Amino acid sequence: MKDVDKSVKWVLWLMWLAVFPTGLYIAHQISPATDVDWRIAISLIGLAVISAYLPFKVDHSTIFIIHWINLAAFLTYGLFFEMLLMQIVLIPVLIRAKITLKTLYRFPLNSAMFMLISLLAGFVFYQMNIDIAAGFGPLVAASAVYIFIHIFANHIYLYTFNWLIGNRNAFFSSDTKLDYAATMLSMPFGLALYYLLQLLGPSATLLLGIPFLAVTMILRLYNTSERVNTDLAKSAKIGHQLAERLNVSEVLDLFINKLADLMPLDYMYLLDVHTSRDELVLLRRIENGQIEPNNLSPVRKGEGITGKVWETGEALLFNKKSEWVEEVEGYIPSDIESIICVPIQRNKRTVAVLLAASKKKNAFGTHLIAILEILCSYLAIAMQNARNYQRNVKRSERCALTGLYNFRYFNEHLEKEFDRLQKGHMNALSLILLDIDHFKKVNDTYGHESGNDLLKELAGILIETAGRDALIARYGGEEFVLLLSDKTKEEAQIIGEKIRYTVENCIFEIQHDLSKNREMSQISMTVSIGVASSPQDTDSSKNLLRNADRALYIGAKQKGRNKVAVYAK
């Protein structure tokens, strides 16, 4: 629920001051509570209070089944007593909801709602002119209408209020349908309690109340165990899905999406242990369902909640802000209430930390710690496997010396781009072949390691000058090849000339490995370049490379080097 403006809160209190005494007066005029057996009255109040304080959850829905008790109270002592009973029941409901000064407006909201709904349901019941002593059938029908008005009017009242403050949720959600079903099914218990109260007095509340509360407790325990089993099954399925991903980003995205389905999340932070700097670095930051920049400061060991989890290797669970507010250091959104933070471990060593948070109090069950630890184990393995795979892929695709793509990868990419060209996805595909002039002389004069240093420096120049326009690969030895998608021959020639000019005017520093003192030397060098394009020059990927090679050696090398030559048929 969105935060409510102060003006709205004042309106709620003023509305309550108008409705509460007026509602009590009208109820007393319609149906005053007379001949009340205070033993029965107290037993009804006690049963209602206990039922309100012990709801049970199905999925994320909290079900308060108390309308059967207020039905029995209404049939026994009339509208005024039932209205007082519902006002008393409101107290444990709000205590159970962890009401604070900030959310105290919920008292006038719910108090006025209970009163207005009781008046409406009672008025309709009395208009039906049911003689309670006359027969069972009409009483059942009237009781069903009475309870339905309670839940339907409650639904309309809360939906309207949420709509007015900006919470535009679905009118009929699965939670709402469940509440309707559970409340309507409780009606026979209310009728049974009413008749037993006439026969047995206050002991009737024990006769029906104890079994009802026992069933409620069993349902609570059963639902908890079912939720644990369901979450375990989900976590196992998520683990298999994570294992299928071979990209770190895909692993993280899948984990975040599945985690949001598993538990009520408003915020999630995944931090990686940076061993060299001995700090936690943000990997993913999700706030209100949106991916935010990873621009938060790193966390040191023992610092704040995540730092303590990293230091101890133990999970932490906080149900409300007052439990964690003194633990926090650094950034944390102000509207967070519940926090669960677990270490992500690999071989008994913490490699990352996950912090999940909700705006609601008591959002996370204790069983989620074990579920999250299992999921985080899957995540750690999946991330390690993805990193290993990506590292191996990079090794197979890249030249170990220069870091550029190797020719095998380049050749595969060339075929794919040629296929795109033939399908009309681009207008031209150009290729630049580059060779260092007199490179053998560099190796013979300065040594092969010095020549390797020169190759690495040239790779950097190629990335800087053409990296945005081309896929760059080491062709072999001192030759490099650049593939320019959707670039004409003229555009490729301009890029080639830019490379040639940059290299010619660059001073390279290399170590003279063949000299006595191995001193640093400054040298200059030049490159020869051949350019070819498709479909202008050829309709074959192999011929495109051959044409660029022909332009390089005939048009540039044989004509004095340090030139850019284009293929001519």
Side-chain angles (χ1 to χ4, degrees):
M1 182 180 287
K2 290 183 179 179
D3 196 17
V4 177
D5 293 335
K6 286 185 178 180
S7 59
V8 176
K9 294 177 183 179
W10 277 109
V11 169
L12 290 173
W13 280 106
L14 292 172
M15 180 184 71
W16 179 79
L17 288 172
V19 169
F20 187 77
T22 306
L24 285 178
Y25 175 78
I26 294 172
H28 190 268
Q29 295 300 311
I30 294 174
S31 175
T34 56
D35 300 325
V36 174
D37 183 338
W38 290 106
R39 296 175 304 159
I40 293 177
I42 291 171
S43 67
L44 285 170
I45 292 170
L47 181 59
V49 167
I50 294 172
S51 297
Y53 200 75
L54 294 175
F56 65 94
K57 282 191 174 184
V58 177
D59 295 327
H60 299 303
S61 306
T62 302
I63 309 295
F64 295 90
I65 304 181
I66 56 174
H67 286 297
W68 68 284
I69 304 170
N70 74 288
L71 172 63
F74 174 76
L75 294 175
T76 303
Y77 293 125
L79 178 60
F80 183 74
F81 178 76
E82 184 270 344
M83 188 177 287
L84 288 176
L85 175 67
M86 291 303 291
Q87 294 298 312
I88 294 171
V89 164
L90 178 59
I91 297 172
V93 169
L94 293 179
I95 292 174
R96 188 74 173 73
K98 307 290 184 183
I99 193 170
T100 63
L101 287 175
K102 188 178 180 181
T103 58
L104 194 60
Y105 69 89
R106 292 168 66 180
F107 173 77
L109 173 68
N110 287 279
S111 176
M113 176 184 70
F114 284 0
M115 186 159 286
L116 291 171
I117 291 172
S118 291
L119 282 171
L120 176 62
F123 176 78
V124 172
F125 185 92
Y126 291 136
Q127 289 299 308
M128 294 176 74
N129 293 317
I130 299 297
D131 184 357
I132 294 178
F136 184 69
L139 180 59
V140 171
S143 298
V145 171
Y146 173 84
I147 284 189
F148 180 80
I149 289 173
H150 263 277
I151 55 176
F152 183 72
N154 175 66
H155 179 200
I156 294 294
Y157 186 93
L158 288 178
Y159 178 82
T160 303
F161 175 75
N162 284 325
W163 189 86
L164 289 173
I165 66 171
N167 288 325
R168 309 295 167 86
N169 299 321
F171 184 73
F172 268 114
S173 65
S174 58
D175 293 354
T176 307
K177 295 173 185 176
L178 188 62
D179 193 24
Y180 272 71
T183 304
M184 293 302 297
L185 289 172
S186 73
M187 185 196 69
F189 287 91
L191 290 172
L193 179 58
Y194 162 68
Y195 282 113
L196 284 174
L197 284 171
Q198 314 308 310
L199 295 173
L200 304 176
S203 59
T205 56
L206 296 176
L207 189 64
L208 271 182
I210 290 176
F212 189 87
L213 293 174
V215 169
T216 300
M217 293 301 295
I218 291 170
L219 285 173
R220 283 163 60 93
L221 293 172
Y222 173 77
N223 183 64
T224 300
S225 64
E226 281 292 295
R227 196 160 67 246
V228 171
N229 291 335
T230 301
D231 289 347
L232 282 171
K234 286 181 179 178
S235 63
K237 187 176 180 179
I238 293 170
H240 292 310
Q241 292 173 331
L242 289 173
E244 294 171 357
R245 301 297 190 276
L246 296 175
N247 180 282
V248 172
S249 292
E250 290 180 5
V251 169
L252 291 175
D253 291 340
L254 176 65
F255 178 79
I256 291 165
N257 291 334
K258 295 299 181 180
L259 201 61
D261 294 337
L262 187 67
M263 54 196 291
L265 289 180
D266 294 307
Y267 300 93
M268 198 216 73
Y269 305 91
L270 187 62
L271 300 99
D272 193 31
V273 173
H274 200 298
T275 52
S276 63
R277 297 196 306 229
D278 198 31
E279 59 188 16
L280 288 171
V281 179
L282 202 58
L283 278 180
R284 280 290 191 279
R285 174 187 171 193
I286 310 297
E287 297 186 351
N288 297 310
Q290 301 294 321
I291 298 177
E292 300 292 340
N294 296 335
N295 57 0
L296 301 182
S297 300
V299 178
R300 299 198 175 277
K301 188 173 286 187
E303 181 180 81
I305 295 172
T306 53
K308 287 179 180 177
V309 168
W310 176 24
E311 184 177 48
T312 63
E314 300 290 334
L316 291 175
L317 174 63
F318 302 101
N319 291 312
K320 53 187 177 181
K321 181 180 289 189
S322 59
E323 295 177 356
W324 56 259
V325 69
E326 294 183 359
E327 302 281 342
V328 171
E329 296 181 39
Y331 170 85
I332 193 164
S334 60
D335 56 354
I336 286 178
E337 286 287 347
S338 302
I339 289 177
I340 187 168
C341 187
V342 297
I344 300 174
Q345 296 187 323
R346 180 88 168 136
N347 299 325
K348 297 182 179 181
R349 184 174 63 87
T350 300
V351 296
V353 173
L354 171 71
L355 186 144
S358 171
K359 298 175 185 178
K360 297 179 180 178
K361 295 180 180 179
N362 304 292
F364 308 124
T366 53
H367 78 284
L368 281 177
I369 292 178
I371 299 295
L372 277 181
E373 287 177 340
I374 293 171
L375 276 177
C376 287
S377 296
Y378 288 138
L379 176 64
I381 294 170
M383 284 185 63
Q384 186 62 47
N385 290 341
R387 283 170 174 165
N388 289 339
Y389 175 79
Q390 288 181 291
R391 193 179 298 118
N392 290 334
V393 167
K394 186 175 180 180
R395 287 173 180 170
S396 68
E397 294 177 347
R398 300 279 180 170
C399 163
L401 176 65
T402 62
L404 299 176
Y405 288 107
N406 57 34
F407 184 70
R408 182 186 64 79
Y409 177 84
F410 176 86
N411 211 32
E412 292 174 356
H413 191 75
L414 174 62
E415 294 298 331
K416 291 177 182 177
E417 291 300 276
F418 227 90
D419 185 57
R420 288 183 61 224
L421 175 68
Q422 291 177 334
K423 290 178 178 179
H425 295 159
M426 54 182 163
N427 297 318
L429 181 65
S430 297
L431 189 146
I432 293 174
L433 191 61
L434 175 152
D435 182 80
I436 300 175
D437 297 328
H438 305 296
F439 185 70
K440 184 177 183 301
K441 185 177 179 181
V442 173
N443 283 335
D444 293 342
T445 304
Y446 299 98
H448 285 85
E449 284 303 312
S450 299
N452 287 341
D453 292 340
L454 201 61
L455 293 174
K456 287 188 281 188
E457 287 194 54
L458 178 58
I461 289 175
L462 294 177
I463 293 171
E464 188 175 338
T465 54
R468 293 183 180 180
D469 301 304
L471 184 137
I472 309 169
R474 187 180 178 193
Y475 186 62
E478 67 272 23
E479 290 184 316
F480 298 83
V481 61
L482 293 82
L483 186 64
L484 297 94
S485 300
D486 215 16
K487 297 287 185 184
T488 64
K489 184 191 288 188
E490 291 73 20
E491 291 172 317
Q493 184 179 4
I494 292 170
I495 293 171
E497 183 57 39
K498 181 181 177 182
I499 294 170
R500 187 205 65 77
Y501 178 83
T502 303
V503 173
E504 182 185 27
N505 289 278
C506 182
I507 302 298
F508 297 88
E509 284 196 354
I510 59 174
Q511 185 171 296
H512 196 325
D513 288 332
L514 302 184
S515 66
K516 183 177 181 181
N517 298 320
R518 305 185 69 180
E519 69 276 0
M520 296 300 296
S521 299
Q522 292 184 340
I523 66 169
S524 298
M525 69 174 184
T526 60
V527 293
S528 296
I529 293 173
V531 178
S533 186
S534 181
Q536 184 177 350
D537 297 329
T538 179
D539 57 1
S540 163
S541 58
K542 290 183 179 179
N543 285 339
L544 180 64
L545 191 56
R546 285 174 176 168
N547 290 344
D549 192 36
R550 180 178 178 84
L552 168 64
Y553 281 96
I554 295 177
K557 287 282 188 183
Q558 292 182 8
K559 293 185 178 180
R561 295 182 172 82
N562 190 24
K563 296 182 184 299
V564 175
V566 296
Y567 174 77
K569 292 182 179 180

